């Protein structure tokens, strides 16, 4: 099945295989992703052809929220935990395939994992020389979220979303 483009031609139905700009006509614009998602949910509840709809984040920005300061104790603790999980996994696999001393294989994997985790995290932190002494979480967010629709159903989508705009927003807890 082919979906028409407002610029002529067509594209296969479903998500494109290669990165491509979105097509369609704008039928709504929202300040948050949650509001755009609510609009598409409303369209779906009203038997609208949501396969014609795309949510597009506009004015993208990378937001990095600082979680805390890095110290040697935090770096080594995280390295030990990471190494412990890997060591337990390796010890478990080794214990399954070696018929002797399952508990010993598990304990050996755990100890070696913790030691290697400590070593690698210490080396990495030392090499940074204090250039990034904080931990953070990054998130890609948009300034606004536009809902686009293929031309053949865009007018119907606009009409439905105008009914949604008349409804009060859902209460938040």
């Amino acid at each position: 099945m082919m979906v028409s483009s407002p610029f002529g031609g067509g594209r296969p139905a479903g998500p494109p295989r290669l990165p491509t700009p979105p097509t369609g006509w704008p039928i709504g614009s929202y300040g948050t992703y949650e509001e755009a998602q609510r609009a598409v949910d409303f369209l779906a509840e009203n038997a609208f052809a949501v396969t014609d709809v795309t949510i597009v984040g506009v004015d993208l920005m990378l937001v990095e929220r600082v979680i805390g300061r890095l110290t040697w104790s935090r770096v080594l603790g995280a390295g030990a935990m990471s190494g412990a999980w890997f060591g337990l996994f390796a010890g478990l696999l080794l214990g399954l395939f070696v018929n002797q001393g399952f508990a010993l294989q598990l304990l050996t994997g755990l100890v070696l994992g913790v030691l290697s985790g400590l070593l690698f995290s210490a080396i990495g932190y030392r090499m940074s020389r204090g250039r990034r002494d904080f931990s953070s979480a990054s998130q890609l967010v948009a300034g606004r979220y536009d809902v686009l629709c293929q031309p053949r159903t865009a007018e119907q989508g606009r009409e439905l979303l105008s009914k949604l705009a008349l409804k009060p927003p859902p209460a938040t807890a």
Side-chain angles (χ1 to χ4, degrees):
M1 177 177 153
M2 296 295 279
V3 177
S4 66
S5 164
F7 305 108
R11 65 173 175 83
R17 293 184 181 199
L18 296 173
T20 57
T23 61
W25 294 351
I27 60 171
S29 187
Y30 303 92
T32 66
Y33 179 77
E34 184 179 24
E35 292 170 325
Q37 189 177 18
R38 180 175 174 242
V40 175
D41 283 342
F42 182 79
L43 293 172
E45 290 166 3
N46 286 280
F48 185 79
V50 290
T51 54
D52 285 353
V53 175
T54 306
I55 298 175
V56 180
V58 180
D59 297 331
L60 296 181
M61 57 190 122
L62 179 66
V63 177
E64 183 175 14
R65 291 183 169 78
V66 177
I67 297 171
R69 185 175 184 276
L70 280 183
T71 61
W72 274 105
S73 60
R74 285 189 182 185
V75 168
L76 294 177
M81 289 301 294
S82 175
W85 282 113
F86 182 74
L88 278 174
F89 178 68
L92 179 66
L93 288 178
L94 193 59
L96 289 175
F97 295 111
V98 175
N99 292 335
Q100 303 160 341
F102 179 79
L104 182 62
Q105 301 296 334
L106 205 58
L107 183 62
T108 302
L110 176 65
V111 169
L112 289 175
V114 167
L115 292 175
S116 62
L118 283 169
L119 178 68
F120 287 120
S121 64
I123 290 171
Y125 186 61
R126 179 75 177 135
M127 289 178 65
S128 74
R129 296 187 182 132
R131 282 182 291 216
R132 188 174 166 92
D133 275 348
F134 62 91
S135 58
S136 63
S138 296
Q139 190 177 34
L140 191 64
V141 295
R144 75 173 193 274
Y145 296 88
D146 290 343
V147 176
L148 305 182
C149 185
Q150 293 303 312
R152 67 175 168 261
T153 53
E155 204 52 49
Q156 179 190 5
R158 277 192 197 106
E159 288 174 21
L160 283 171
L161 291 181
S162 67
K163 292 176 185 174
L164 174 65
L166 297 175
K167 286 184 165 190
T172 57

